[in-house]
Amino acid sequence: MTESSTAVTVAAPNEPVLLPDLSDRGILTLTLNRPRVFNALSEDLLDALTSALESAAKDGTVRVVVIRAAGRAFCAGHDLREMRARPDRAWYTELFDRCSAMMKTIVALPQPVIAQVHGIATAAGCQLVAACDLAVAGETAVFATNGINNGLFCSTPSVALSRAVARKHAFEMLFTGAFISAARAAEIGLVNRVVPDERLDGAVRELAASIAAKSTVTTRSGKKMFYRQLGLDLVDAYDVAARNMACDMMSEDAAEGLDAFLEKRPPVWKDR
């Protein structure tokens, strides 16, 4: 949620709230583009993100998705002015359902999703980081689930946060509302790594490129299996994993990858 109650909440005229860009390597970059309100998640931005993610899921040329932001912040959560202008429980329920659907779309997306975080990532913005498969932060980035400071517990952010970090770390963030540094976020597992701010773009491109270079068949199968087994007990998780590996072994890319390893040459994936 946005920190300042005096921030301008309208985007520049005719300016899109989300900027998509697909590289020739199959890396789709989605840039949140409401910089004047710290990229607060308005209805329009939630809809644009969901639509872009759903389109990416159907696009065989997209291998990795990066979510980044324009301006001085990654995302300050929900747009509080928009919320206060609609004091209606049914509308609030629909808004939070819409946000939850977008977060679930990230997890269900066949492609890995990387959050590129700078500035602040608060409340639903922190939730967005936690929902992504991977996250890289600039060294001056800060994170918080600070709704409790404003009389509104970060209930929906708690779902993603408690699945990304250990319970006690999540509880502390949720019940104190305190900001944590990028270094601390890395310590508790909210982000994968922290880099100097000036190296953030390059570090994310390098990570995305390393994944994009892998077999798309394998990364898509792997992501689906990874999240499926997380919700199972140990016995069922191994059962799912074993069957997934057996299925993967029948793919052309697995045959190519193993032959290339044995023949000491680079693999040539079928989807290239």
Side-chain angles (χ1 to χ4, degrees):
M1 55 185 60
T2 49
E3 289 187 296
S4 173
S5 61
T6 60
V8 178
T9 60
V10 294
N14 303 317
E15 191 170 302
V17 295
L18 186 71
L19 304 175
D21 179 65
L22 180 60
S23 77
D24 57 5
R25 291 185 173 184
I27 300 169
L28 174 63
T29 300
L30 301 176
T31 301
L32 312 183
N33 192 40
R34 302 188 73 218
R36 295 198 289 174
V37 289
F38 304 107
N39 299 301
L41 296 173
S42 63
E43 284 188 285
D44 287 346
L45 182 50
L46 285 171
D47 288 347
L49 260 175
T50 302
S51 178
L53 292 166
E54 289 175 345
S55 295
K58 303 170 187 174
D59 190 340
T61 66
V62 177
R63 295 183 172 89
V64 182
V65 176
V66 173
I67 298 178
R68 63 186 298 276
R72 295 183 293 133
F74 176 72
C75 179
H78 286 288
D79 190 322
L80 296 187
R81 282 191 180 272
E82 184 179 72
M83 291 171 66
R84 289 299 294 141
R86 299 284 298 274
D88 178 78
R89 180 170 180 170
W91 184 82
Y92 288 148
T93 299
E94 194 277 334
L95 174 69
F96 293 127
D97 283 347
R98 184 179 300 187
C99 183
S100 297
M102 186 273 289
M103 301 291 178
K104 289 185 286 186
T105 299
I106 291 174
V107 177
L109 200 73
Q111 302 93 336
V113 182
I114 304 170
Q116 177 177 324
V117 190
H118 74 287
I120 62 170
T122 53
C126 187
Q127 177 186 4
L128 181 56
V129 176
C132 289
D133 306 306
L134 298 160
V136 181
E139 61 188 352
T140 61
V142 292
F143 304 79
T145 46
N146 54 329
I148 198 167
N149 296 334
N150 301 319
L152 181 65
F153 188 75
C154 283
S155 298
T156 46
S158 77
V159 176
L161 183 65
S162 63
R163 284 160 172 75
V165 306
R167 183 183 66 185
K168 285 183 170 57
H169 294 313
F171 200 93
E172 182 176 0
M173 288 185 68
L174 290 161
F175 281 82
T176 66
F179 281 76
I180 64 171
S181 67
R184 179 59 178 162
E187 286 178 1
I188 66 175
L190 182 56
V191 303
N192 294 81
R193 66 194 67 167
V194 178
V195 299
D197 291 342
E198 65 273 14
R199 289 192 51 236
L200 182 57
D201 282 338
V204 171
R205 284 197 302 269
E206 182 180 347
L207 177 59
S210 71
I211 296 173
K214 305 298 190 291
S215 159
T216 300
V217 172
T218 306
T219 56
R220 291 185 175 212
S221 171
K223 179 173 174 178
K224 182 178 180 180
M225 189 285 304
F226 178 82
Y227 284 106
R228 184 180 176 194
Q229 65 84 25
L230 279 179
L232 302 175
D233 62 30
L234 186 67
V235 173
D236 289 340
Y238 270 118
D239 185 58
V240 166
R243 279 154 181 74
N244 195 77
M245 286 201 75
C247 183
D248 282 356
M249 280 294 296
M250 303 307 296
S251 74
E252 292 182 46
D253 275 1
E256 166 62 14
L258 295 175
D259 288 347
F261 176 80
L262 294 172
E263 296 165 10
K264 296 182 171 55
R265 61 172 176 81
V268 179
W269 306 123
K270 185 178 185 299
D271 62 349
R272 287 297 187 268

